[in-house]
Amino acid sequence: MRSVLLIAPHNSYRIHAYIEAAGHLGIKLVVASQSEYSLVSAVADGIQINFSDDAVSLERILDADQQHHFKAIISSDDGGVRLAAKVAKALGLSANDSDSAELTRRKDMARERLKACGVPVPDFRTVDLLKPILQQIFDLAYPVVIKPLAMSGSKGVIRANDQQECVSALNRVEKIIQYVSNADERHKVLIESYIEGKEIAYEGLLHRGQLNLLTIFDKPDAMEGPFFEETYYVTPTRLSSKEQALATARVAETCKAYGLREGPVHAELRLQNDEAYIIEMASRTIGGDCADVLKFGLNIGLEELVLLQALGKPIETPALDNSVGVLMIPIPSQGVLRRVEGINRAKKVTYIIDIGISVREGYELVPLPEGSSYLGFIFAKAPTAKLVESALRQACSCLTILIAPSFKISNG
């Protein structure tokens, strides 16, 4: 049986999906993570690594390879892409270069590379939080967006419309990143011009440098800030053929600029005045449980496509049979989740296929920008994208989220 190594944080949404996909394909999946006490047996019984120490992690994985003889290495999340690239290189397997993978994780480095390669980017700069702030932002043209250098899920991303808001946002982001292990990522942030326009998510697969479009998700809700919470994703896109071609060309240019050649690509773009701007691009699949709605051909899921390609067996991906969509249920406020009411009523809405609540009752909810997770997901499938969006909105309106205040006990 062929063995594939999955590098994933212990709390990744995608671990279970990859385990299921590997089972369907007759592949032995070994998980490398950082939680020997995980309730997920594949994580607890897998390879214990340290995401902050590539050298130690690489040594442990190479030792494990003596037993498993890995044929491919994949990463579920941004935090593992650099390590996955290093492991693949050490084992002589096809993969992206570790420096290329790092560009998909570090927003400042990515912007510098795209600018150097002539790919359109918004005006941007890096601000050092250890130096006087006003001297670094006095000439900014507003609005702007402040971003941590290496966080995902819109965590720490804040729009500012003037200097006062910018200083306030910087102070807030500084607290969010204060425990990051990397010094640059702990003390510096990226500031870039806010881009108006339609936002989309682009899902693709790279094989030997050739980009294959899987699908484009529309994001029907305007994402204008001050925080940038993802909500509705609907596909196939309702963009024009010209806009779709522009998005594909921009993603392909970005892959080339980064030096990416293999594996999944998830890109966020904004379209404005016949131009497409990369907001972010990751060398992984779409986050959360969103990939669950994507089934190609004979019920082949996204993770199965990734596994097959990693093993050197890419397959043609026919168009989706129906329109599908997902709502990432927002966290409305901070506090302790009491319960979510109306789930059964929401499930009865026409075209809704499933609803999953990810947070257990009694657990604390942390909204953006400090948080980065979702309350749960609503999935829909219908003959048209319009019907999908309507069903998701109707189902969401059925839900009542009851949250109790949370109280912090301070020492002294």
Side-chain angles (χ1 to χ4, degrees), residues 143-145 159 192-197 223-225 228 270:
V144 298
V145 180
R159 171 175 167 165
E192 60 185 36
S193 297
Y194 171 76
I195 301 173
E196 302 254 4
M223 299 176 67
E224 299 175 341
F228 296 87
R270 286 218 172 179

Side-chain angles (χ1 to χ4, degrees), residues 1-5 27-30 67-72 311:
M1 180 181 288
R2 298 160 297 175
S3 293
V4 173
L5 178 69
I27 293 169
K28 180 182 179 183
L29 189 75
V30 179
Q67 173 189 350
H68 297 291
H69 307 291
F70 299 120
K71 300 300 182 185
L311 290 168

Side-chain angles (χ1 to χ4, degrees), residues 107 147-148 151-157 176 368-372:
K107 297 177 177 64
K147 299 180 177 182
M151 285 184 171
S152 59
S154 298
K155 184 173 183 176
V157 180
I176 294 172
L368 288 174
E370 284 75 20
S372 62

Side-chain angles (χ1 to χ4, degrees), residues 337-362:
L337 178 65
R338 296 292 300 275
R339 62 184 178 274
V340 180
E341 298 179 344
I343 295 176
N344 289 333
R345 187 155 57 98
K347 285 182 175 180
K348 294 178 182 178
V349 172
T350 304
Y351 302 124
I352 295 300
I353 57 176
D354 196 16
I355 298 177
I357 303 300
S358 306
V359 182
R360 295 179 182 178
E361 295 177 3

